[in-house]
């Protein structure tokens, strides 16, 4: 298995990442449209991070660069998109962990803010949090939805790291060492 992963192309890593992004979005849209759970502004931003990562992986799969520079570019862009998602999900979990007296007040909806406020102010307002983002809705196995989203982003992080590891192996000849069953 490890031998196979060592040989994975940027296309294969990107297709895996794209498939996982599609799965994450399918779950999010299913919860919204089938279970009737409206996303809060931070949930919407997390979805945008999933879509951004998926777009990077889609282009990476279509382009399938053979050179180190192209592979490194897709690895770094994917890493940035996933890191933003991790930060957003972490922020969301932090807001949910606040005591009730420290929860920010609820503000206007994201649609309204996007129509009325400049983008910079919308970003600042959403990232500082609103009361609706601090509400813990459904939980599964004791984790709220942002917790599961964080886990999803951490799993997704393996894709850009796999692409970047491929670049490092090509640049410096690194190989998986010290694993059982390897010569």
């Amino acid at each position: 298995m490890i031998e196979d992963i060592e040989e994975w192309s940027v296309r294969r890593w990107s297709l895996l990442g794209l498939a996982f992004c599609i799965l994450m979005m399918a779950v999010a849209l299913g919860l919204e449209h089938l279970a009737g759970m409206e996303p809060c502004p931070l949930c919407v931003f997390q979805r945008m991070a999933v879509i951004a990562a998926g777009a990077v992986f889609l282009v990476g799969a279509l382009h399938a660069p053979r050179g180190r520079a192209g592979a490194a570019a897709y690895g770094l862009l994917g890493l940035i998109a996933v890191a933003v998602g991790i930060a957003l999900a972490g922020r969301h979990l932090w807001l949910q962990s606040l005591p009730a007296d420290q929860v920010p007040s609820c503000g206007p909806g994201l649609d309204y803010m996007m129509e009325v406020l400049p983008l910079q102010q919308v970003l600042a307002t959403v990232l500082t949090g609103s009361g609706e983002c601090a509400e813990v809705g459904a939980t599964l196995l004791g984790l709220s939805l942002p917790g599961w989203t964080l886990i999803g982003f951490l799993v997704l992080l393996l894709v850009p790291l796999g692409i970047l590891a491929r670049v490092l192996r090509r640049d410096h000849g690194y190989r998986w060492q010290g694993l059982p069953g390897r010569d």
Side-chain angles (χ1 to χ4, degrees), residues 41-165:
L42 273 173
C43 290
V44 172
F45 279 27
Q46 290 169 64
R47 288 180 185 189
M48 291 168 47
V50 171
I51 292 168
V56 169
F57 298 139
L58 174 63
V59 174
L62 293 173
H63 180 215
R66 296 199 187 275
R68 291 179 303 206
Y74 290 114
L76 288 173
L77 289 171
L79 184 65
I80 290 168
V82 173
V84 166
I86 289 170
L88 289 168
R91 176 73 175 171
H92 201 164
L93 281 172
W94 177 78
L95 281 171
Q96 288 184 338
S97 72
L98 290 176
D101 63 330
Q102 294 180 12
V103 171
S105 62
C106 290
L110 184 60
D111 291 336
Y112 175 78
M113 287 191 291
M114 292 294 290
E115 288 178 17
V116 176
L117 301 174
L119 182 60
Q120 184 178 6
Q121 193 171 353
V122 171
L123 290 172
T125 302
V126 170
L127 293 177
T128 55
S130 70
E132 67 180 308
C133 293
E135 291 176 19
V136 178
T139 60
L140 178 64
L141 300 175
L143 282 177
S144 65
L145 293 178
W148 285 107
T149 305
L150 178 62
I151 290 171
F153 277 120
L154 291 172
V155 170
L156 189 59
L157 181 63
L158 296 173
V159 173
L161 292 179
I163 293 171
L164 292 172

Side-chain angles (χ1 to χ4, degrees), residues 2 4 28 105:
I2 296 295
D4 294 335
S105 62

